[in-house]
Amino acid sequence: MVIVVQQLAINNRRLKDDFNELANIGTTVGGGISRLALSNEDLEGRAWFANRIEEAGLLVRDDEVGNLSGVLPAHQRDARTLLMGSHLDTVLNGGKYDGTIGVLAALECLRTIKEAGLELPVHLEVINFTDEEGTWQSFFGSLGFTGALQAKHLNDAEVDNGAFRAALFRAGIRPSEVHRAKRRPADLVGYLELHIEQSETLALAEKQIGIVTKIVGRSTYNFNFHGEATHAATTSRYKQRDALQGASRFITAMHDMTHADYPEGVVNCGDIHVKPGAYNVVPELASLQVECRHHDESILSEMESRLIRLAQDCAKAHHLTVIVQSVLRRPVAIMNPHMVDTIQAVCDEQQRTQMPIISYAGHDTQILSPFVPSAMIFVPSQGGISHSPREYTEWKDIEAGANVLLHIILKLAAEA
Ligand SMILES: [Zn+2]
């Protein structure tokens, strides 16, 4: 099939109007957006999206985990589907761009292709994945889509399970039915996601497009340092078994280690609980939640074992014991090489400046990538700020990203 569409471009005005309209749903006082997954605002955002899909003459499709899609069907009913999209949910008081531009740009590409009357040999589907941001369960929609949702995801001790279930029911999602959302990889050509970079690599390098090569792997642990609660003033300093001192030593040491030995790795302790929690009692328990990320699977594993050894050494130095619990492990996601080459080719054709880039943030693409060939395109984030009302991407960059996406879709569809 020959598609003569070199000049085809998205309708920039229509995309911008969509963006501005959607930004009115869940607006916060400071100009941010709160569309927490399954909240009233999120449901309102989905209803708005379903209306846009119908208005464009596309088919509305929803599944058992609440993913909402618009489909431009191919003539052949048994054709495979090329999938693209992102998420319309946000963090609390987040920005207008994260997730949103990926869904809206994909919708605009489908409208453009439909209007041009192109007959493609694949179905095109734009998808909004449920709860990418993890208000209840990170990647709930994409995990359901790939059949990777497990009972523990619905019974997570970290969240109020009753409230989660109530929120699911309210959104029409029945926990006993979520397994039905699983799609068959054989039915899919691949998945494409356009997203803001969320760091400032592209902006500093003055490049328009980031071609994601991998998404970092990630590991989260609970480190529980156990000591003894005694009188803080009368217990001899040498006899104190202060859980917090051991934990503090560990936090400093793990940052030093990462800085010195793993400059491309990331480590963070963002949550500490101390017991009994009184100013005059030596802490008997310090619980830390620690996360590490790296783009190389074997280095990530090495970082994990060294963190555990370091925690044991720090515990020993303060006469403590430490119990280590793995909470989450997501492997490094490698983007599909052919799709990466296709993005590169489209950038060359459109004379867009581009660079390869590693994503340090998580995306639905990392859940999709072991399931179907997947790739991601980044556009610059000014100041590298995201999850904030100050999140900002220049409109010309969004327009460029959407036009790159359009022609990647056309190339991949033509060869399918
Ligand atoms: Zn996002």
Side-chain angles (χ1 to χ4, degrees), residues 197-408:
E197 187 202 346
Q198 302 178 274
S199 295
E200 57 181 341
T201 321
L202 291 172
L204 292 176
E206 297 183 355
K207 304 282 186 194
Q208 291 174 292
I209 301 287
I211 305 175
V212 177
T213 51
K214 5 183 192 178
I215 302 174
V216 291
R218 170 179 165 191
S219 216
T220 311
Y221 285 96
N222 281 333
F223 288 92
N224 292 324
F225 290 81
H226 293 269
E228 191 180 2
T230 49
H231 195 296
T234 61
T235 313
S236 145
R237 194 183 144 204
Y238 302 101
K239 284 197 169 173
Q240 288 192 8
R241 297 177 59 222
D242 183 338
L244 185 56
Q245 278 202 53
S248 312
R249 180 187 283 231
F250 169 60
I251 295 169
T252 308
M254 75 174 194
H255 280 289
D256 290 346
M257 176 189 87
T258 306
H259 197 65
D261 298 342
Y262 306 102
E264 292 175 42
V266 175
V267 71
N268 183 54
C269 170
D271 195 22
I272 303 182
H273 289 274
V274 175
K275 283 185 179 171
Y279 60 86
N280 52 2
V281 182
V282 172
E284 67 177 346
L285 173 70
S287 300
L288 315 182
Q289 197 157 59
V290 170
E291 179 191 70
C292 62
R293 303 188 188 207
H294 202 284
H295 59 79
D296 182 301
E297 196 59 39
S298 63
I299 300 179
L300 180 62
S301 301
E302 184 187 304
M303 279 178 81
E304 291 177 84
S305 0
R306 283 193 62 192
L307 278 179
I308 293 169
R309 279 208 305 279
L310 197 60
Q312 286 161 344
D313 293 346
C314 294
K316 206 168 157 194
H318 290 270
H319 314 291
L320 310 170
T321 53
V322 61
I323 293 172
V324 187
Q325 243 180 342
S326 169
V327 180
L328 178 99
R329 178 72 162 81
R330 290 205 193 287
V332 176
I334 312 278
M335 301 299 99
N336 177 269
H338 175 66
M339 290 172 85
V340 166
D341 289 347
T342 306
I343 302 172
Q344 171 89 55
V346 170
C347 288
D348 291 348
E349 278 169 20
Q350 296 187 7
Q351 297 176 328
R352 313 276 183 197
T353 53
Q354 49 75 26
M355 64 187 287
I357 204 157
I358 292 168
S359 174
Y360 276 77
H363 299 286
D364 289 309
T365 300
Q366 83 194 78
I367 306 299
L368 270 289
S369 70
F371 188 71
V372 289
S374 301
M376 277 196 97
I377 311 152
F378 278 170
V379 287
S381 292
Q382 295 304 315
I385 298 162
S386 76
H387 286 186
S388 153
R390 293 197 295 130
E391 187 176 277
Y392 180 71
T393 295
E394 285 189 47
W395 190 263
K396 64 175 174 48
D397 292 330
I398 295 174
E399 184 187 4
N403 275 315
V404 167
L405 180 67
L406 174 66
H407 285 268
I408 299 166

